[in-house]
Amino acid sequence: MDTIRGYIENFIHQNPVNGYNIFVLVDKGKETTCIGNSKDLQIGETVELTGEFFEDPIYGKEFRIKSYKVVPPADNESIERYLGSGAIKGIGQALAARIVSMFGKDTLRIIEEEPERLAEVKGISVRRAMEIAVQVEEKRDLRDAMMFLGKYDISQALSVKIFDTYGQGLYTVMKENPYKLAEDISGVGFITADTIARRVGIPENSPMRLRCALLYIMQQSAGEGHCYLPVPALFFEAKKMLGMDDESIKNELQNLALDRKLIIRDENVYLAAFFYAEQNCARLLDNLSMPLERLTTEDEEILQGRLKTIADAQNMEVDPVQLEAVKECVKNSIFILSGGPGTGKTTTINLIIKYFLSKGMSLLLAAPTGRAAKRMTEATGYEAMTIHRLLEVGGGIEGDSHTYFNKNEDDPLETDVIIVDEASMVDILLFQGLLKAIIPGTRLILVGDAAQLPSVGPGRVLRDIIDSGRFSCISLKRIFRQAEGSDIVVNAHKINAGEQIKLGTDSKDFLFLERNSSRMIIEHMIWMMRDKLPKYCDADIFDITVLTPMRKGALGCIELNKFLQESLNPPSPAKREHISGDFIYREGDKVMQIKNNYKLEWNIYGRFGIEIASGLGVFNGDTGRIREINDSAQTVKVEFDDKRIVEYPFNLLDELEMAYAITIHKSQGSEYPAVIIPLLDVPDIMRYRNLLYTGITRGKKCVVIMGSSEIVREMIENSSGRSRYTSLKERILEIGG
């Protein structure tokens, strides 16, 4: 049995499910390809591997891993990893290795005291040497912090986040309560904080550990869409995670309630932000809700005539239900318009817009995502923007709705009418921000499909508002004749009604291919995306999207993206790449933002590269393409669907994922020329109707389902779906009496 030691330079292959990895280990300039189970290792970590060398007939000498452990790096390695981490612009891993190879342990002293000597290293001019010295001096504290945290095997990216959050206070936090990392730093959960705390020496029965676990469970539940957890559910998860008794959990739960971190009401436990958000939304809706106009019979006849004139002038086909919807908008300050595909929601919105404009009233149009706002603009002819842009994001901390919107109760939106499309996607925190910026007397019109999945974020806003029965709501059900020829539309309505559909290849826009293996599905998926659907749908290959129920597994979006990236955007000398974590980022890649970042700057450029707009904020679900990777500047430039350009520093790339394949949940509010939905080995918990309904209604010209017809039938039959713990409906009814 052999033992080797070194740092991980890059991964050739990673399987996050079973931990089987292939990576390159470097020790004193010598590279070794290592193969075997080595889960949770990261690029740059120093490891000690036990195993044996063997000769592969194709790839040559390799090392087969039997066991492994992460070890503290030697001093030279710490310095090299720091310099090559991206902290110092202009120094990559290769240059860092050359610098440390020449100067060894004396590297940092030479940079600080004799920086001109860096010019002795091949590739560094005297001018560049001085620029590096200035940066090292400016970042001395960060360097020391990264080297200190490296002793606890904390990754470089996380080290930067810790330093940015605490500054020099990080040493106290690490010594006294590393569990604070999970409370204060986005992306650090209980498991990471607990691992660090163990290394620091915090005991397992520490109250800090229990407190962190309870908050982590609540945050995880919010990630699944819940606004609260029943006390028994919280206790069950805490005991499963920690093995502690009920009394200990109860005591720490009460302490968190005293600190106002958690709110306990009616045997339900809320994170404070969500409790107050539901309460505020109910109060603000009640404040806005008022009859605005009382229409006599004569008034209604005049309104009817005006609407008919508008419809005729625009060549609109309207029915009595749509006309009734406009009347309700005129009479009420809050109105909800619901309906499935092909039922005339867009025509109704256009009729509402034309009517209010004819009365000299001002309107604002908005949607939750850039893609949905773009669709709304195209459908109405009037500019629509994301709700975040409408509210003027101004920075702040995710989840803190009091600080990140410039438009609020102190500086409200100045308009007569606000129309929000795709309202089923709006989560409770975003809805709270919107309501705070609306003054009484303004009409709020929410448009959406109540049968769609609820928002990615916490809450079930549209469904709870409708179910409260407090506000005027009309549901469109008739499929108009222009939509009757689409099997996508017809099948969507059948599925929503629980009716089985015909599965096969006879339809021009709705195809089902029975396939019984993941490998076959992936092969046919790539063939259709690359060779068939672009011509058939007259669409760009990157506009065709795979929608999958799952994140993990052979047909989950994580694994699918690796295959699709390799096939649709293969490596090329003309495309620059950057490896970060589990991903290879390549110029041309289709990517998605996976968390709200209210501080990222964006710009929109017009002709000749002239900036025409700028702002802050990139949000969960925003999709775009990588346009440029700049190794010198350590940045990745992404152009999003609404033409916003964002430069990501390398240390923020954990906020971007490949988006050739995305979960159905993440696809809400988007529409694609064609979608492919793999349905094989779908977990039982995901076999429900409105997941399938949401997926197929994302396809505009073609929907292709590949997999098991039995799973399709099960999903249609299962109307229960995944329930959410929300209480906006109850809060509305409490206030409304």
Side-chain angles (χ1 to χ4, degrees):
M1 199 73 71
D2 300 307
T3 299
I4 60 174
R5 191 173 182 277
Y7 69 90
I8 299 173
E9 183 178 54
N10 67 280
F11 283 92
I12 298 170
H13 169 78
Q14 278 185 291
N15 188 322
V17 177
N18 61 22
Y20 185 84
N21 298 326
I22 304 174
F23 58 83
V24 176
L25 189 79
V26 177
D27 180 32
K28 297 177 182 177
K30 180 184 176 183
E31 295 185 356
T32 304
T33 301
C34 304
I35 298 174
N37 290 319
S38 48
K39 200 170 185 179
D40 299 327
L41 293 181
Q42 298 179 357
I43 290 174
E45 287 186 320
T46 301
V47 294
E48 186 173 282
L49 309 176
T50 301
E52 57 188 9
F53 287 98
F54 71 100
E55 192 73 27
D56 185 275
I58 297 176
Y59 299 106
K61 190 176 183 180
E62 296 179 333
F63 188 82
R64 186 176 284 120
I65 302 166
K66 296 296 183 184
S67 63
Y68 68 93
K69 63 180 178 179
V70 178
V71 297
D75 287 349
N76 282 9
E77 292 175 11
S78 296
I79 297 168
E80 183 178 319
R81 285 172 59 192
Y82 167 70
L83 291 176
S85 69
I88 307 299
K89 287 188 178 180
I91 299 183
Q93 291 180 351
L95 184 54
R98 293 206 300 273
I99 294 171
V100 176
S101 176
M102 178 167 286
F103 300 117
K105 296 178 181 179
D106 215 22
T107 297
L108 294 178
R109 185 198 65 78
I110 285 173
I111 293 175
E112 292 169 356
E113 299 176 9
E114 304 175 76
E116 67 280 357
R117 289 192 58 193
L118 285 177
E120 298 172 20
V121 178
K122 184 180 178 181
I124 300 180
S125 64
V126 173
R127 178 180 175 183
R128 191 175 181 190
M130 302 311 292
E131 289 173 349
I132 291 171
V134 169
Q135 287 190 69
V136 169
E137 179 61 30
E138 289 176 346
K139 299 182 179 181
R140 183 196 299 265
D141 290 341
L142 173 60
R143 179 196 74 204
D144 294 343
M146 289 182 72
M147 294 178 71
F148 168 78
L149 294 169
K151 296 175 183 176
Y152 298 105
D153 298 324
I154 297 173
S155 70
Q156 296 163 355
L158 180 54
S159 295
V160 172
K161 288 184 178 181
I162 294 172
F163 180 79
D164 287 345
T165 302
Y166 301 115
Q168 294 300 309
L170 72 89
Y171 302 100
T172 302
V173 171
M174 290 295 294
K175 180 181 178 182
E176 297 180 356
N177 183 11
Y179 289 103
K180 271 187 66 62
L181 300 176
E183 292 187 43
D184 299 337
I185 300 177
S186 176
V188 178
F190 170 78
I191 295 170
T192 301
D194 197 37
T195 301
I196 294 169
R198 297 285 185 88
R199 291 172 183 157
V200 172
I202 304 296
E204 280 191 35
N205 60 354
S206 165
M208 294 182 295
R209 184 168 186 256
L210 178 51
R211 174 192 179 97
C212 182
L214 290 172
L215 289 174
Y216 173 75
I217 293 166
M218 292 303 301
Q219 287 157 356
Q220 289 295 104
S221 73
E224 295 172 2
H226 302 301
C227 287
Y228 69 85
L229 280 181
V231 168
L234 177 58
F235 272 49
F236 175 80
E237 292 296 330
K239 285 192 287 187
K240 185 170 68 173
M241 180 180 288
L242 303 171
M244 291 189 174
D245 59 86
D246 284 2
E247 194 61 31
S248 298
I249 297 171
K250 183 178 179 181
N251 289 340
E252 201 52 47
L253 182 60
Q254 293 298 332
N255 289 334
L256 285 166
L258 289 172
D259 291 342
R260 308 301 285 176
K261 294 278 187 180
L262 299 178
I263 306 293
I264 305 172
R265 177 165 175 173
D266 301 327
E267 288 301 299
N268 296 323
V269 183
Y270 298 75
L271 284 168
F274 302 126
F275 176 82
Y276 292 119
E278 286 194 331
Q279 200 171 61
N280 287 339
C281 286
R283 175 181 55 81
L284 292 165
L285 283 169
D286 190 64
N287 290 345
L288 289 175
S289 180
M290 63 178 72
L292 295 180
E293 294 187 30
R294 297 185 181 278
L295 300 180
T296 64
T297 303
E298 184 179 353
D299 292 334
E300 292 209 7
E301 290 175 357
I302 294 171
L303 175 59
Q304 187 97 356
R306 184 185 289 271
L307 294 176
K308 188 176 186 310
T309 301
I310 293 171
D312 291 344
Q314 300 294 319
N315 198 27
M316 295 178 181
E317 180 187 359
V318 296
D319 68 8
V321 179
Q322 291 172 302
L323 295 175
E324 186 63 29
V326 184
K327 290 179 190 176
E328 290 300 303
C329 290
V330 172
K331 293 190 291 185
N332 296 284
S333 58
I334 297 176
F335 173 69
I336 300 101
L337 178 69
S338 178
T343 57
K345 290 198 303 294
T346 299
T347 298
T348 309
I349 293 172
N350 277 316
L351 193 58
I352 291 168
I353 290 171
K354 299 293 184 186
Y355 173 77
F356 283 125
L357 288 177
S358 74
K359 299 285 286 183
M361 299 171 73
S362 58
L363 296 94
L364 290 172
L365 310 184
T369 67
R371 205 174 184 104
K374 183 181 178 183
R375 282 177 51 210
M376 195 180 188
T377 299
E378 292 168 350
T380 65
Y382 296 93
E383 183 188 7
M385 62 184 76
T386 64
I387 299 174
H388 291 95
R389 277 188 72 187
L390 181 73
L391 298 177
E392 298 179 8
V393 173
I397 302 169
E398 181 175 4
D400 182 357
S401 58
H402 298 286
T403 60
Y404 59 71
F405 294 131
N406 289 328
K407 288 295 180 181
N408 49 42
E409 54 268 78
D410 298 321
D411 183 15
L413 297 166
E414 296 181 5
T415 189
D416 298 311
V417 182
I418 297 172
I419 304 177
V420 178
D421 198 10
E422 297 288 355
S424 64
M425 293 180 63
V426 180
D427 64 47
I428 193 67
L429 292 178
L430 182 57
F431 194 57
Q432 175 184 227
L434 176 64
L435 292 180
K436 285 185 173 184
I438 302 175
I439 58 175
T442 303
R443 287 173 170 83
L444 174 62
I445 300 167
L446 302 176
V447 183
D449 184 350
Q452 297 279 354
L453 292 169
S455 57
V456 174
R460 196 181 54 169
V461 171
L462 183 66
R463 183 79 264 169
D464 279 355
I465 292 173
I466 293 172
D467 288 350
S468 75
R470 282 280 321 279
F471 310 103
S472 177
C473 175
I474 284 182
S475 178
L476 303 176
K477 293 184 171 63
R478 173 194 165 193
I479 303 176
F480 280 80
R481 66 171 179 267
Q482 58 265 37
E484 288 175 348
S486 167
D487 286 329
I488 296 174
V489 171
V490 172
N491 285 339
H493 284 270
K494 284 184 176 180
I495 290 169
N496 192 32
E499 299 175 20
Q500 294 296 334
I501 59 175
K502 182 181 178 183
L503 298 175
T505 57
D506 296 338
S507 170
K508 68 180 187 300
D509 65 356
F510 192 99
L511 308 176
F512 175 80
L513 306 177
E514 187 84 41
R515 299 290 183 268
N516 57 15
S517 78
S518 301
R519 181 187 59 79
M520 189 180 297
I521 287 175
I522 292 169
E523 287 177 358
H524 288 191
M525 178 187 293
I526 291 170
W527 172 70
M528 294 201 78
M529 293 181 76
R530 189 173 54 201
D531 302 326
K532 302 299 290 183
L533 290 176
K535 292 179 183 177
Y536 187 71
C537 298
D538 188 26
D540 187 280
I541 191 171
F542 288 96
D543 286 332
I544 297 164
T545 301
V546 175
L547 304 182
T548 174
M550 307 94 64
R551 278 187 56 78
K552 297 181 179 179
L555 293 175
C557 61
I558 294 173
E559 286 299 307
L560 284 176
N561 273 315
K562 294 176 182 177
F563 289 106
L564 294 173
Q565 180 193 42
E566 194 68 19
S567 298
L568 305 181
N569 188 35
S572 161
K575 300 173 188 173
R576 283 167 290 194
E577 297 181 352
H578 177 74
I579 299 174
S580 179
D582 296 335
F583 298 105
I584 299 172
Y585 296 86
R586 183 176 298 135
E587 289 178 338
D589 274 336
K590 186 176 178 181
V591 292
M592 172 181 282
Q593 176 79 9
I594 59 170
K595 62 192 295 186
N596 290 341
N597 187 323
Y598 300 98
K599 296 180 180 180
L600 268 176
E601 297 180 4
W602 55 261
N603 303 90
I604 297 176
Y605 298 95
R607 291 179 184 272
F608 312 113
I610 298 172
E611 182 184 301
I612 59 176
S614 63
L616 294 173
V618 185
F619 305 104
N620 192 353
D622 286 353
T623 56
R625 299 277 301 279
I626 293 178
R627 296 305 183 194
E628 180 184 297
I629 295 176
N630 189 323
D631 288 318
S632 297
Q634 307 274 292
T635 58
V636 172
K637 184 180 291 184
V638 176
E639 181 180 355
F640 286 95
D641 292 333
D642 54 4
K643 304 302 180 184
R644 288 174 302 152
I645 304 288
V646 178
E647 284 195 353
Y648 287 79
F650 282 173
N651 64 8
L652 278 185
L653 288 180
D654 60 348
E655 297 187 4
L656 283 178
E657 283 186 357
M658 295 299 116
Y660 300 97
I662 62 176
T663 63
I664 293 174
H665 220 138
K666 289 276 191 180
S667 73
Q668 291 178 88
S670 297
E671 188 176 72
Y672 309 94
V675 298
I676 299 174
I677 305 175
L679 295 178
L680 188 71
D681 299 326
V682 178
D684 291 346
I685 195 172
M686 291 181 173
R687 297 186 186 186
Y688 57 95
R689 184 183 301 164
N690 66 340
L691 187 71
L692 177 61
Y693 174 81
T694 299
I696 69 170
T697 54
R698 302 305 91 202
K700 186 177 182 181
K701 297 180 180 178
C702 188
V703 170
V704 181
I705 299 176
M706 296 183 184
S708 163
S709 56
E710 185 58 35
I711 289 177
V712 175
R713 294 188 181 97
E714 283 184 35
M715 294 178 80
I716 293 172
E717 289 174 2
N718 182 11
S719 62
S720 59
R722 299 178 72 177
S723 59
R724 288 191 171 192
Y725 294 118
T726 69
S727 51
L728 177 59
K729 172 187 170 183
E730 287 71 23
R731 300 291 90 83
I732 290 171
L733 293 175
E734 282 175 1
I735 291 178

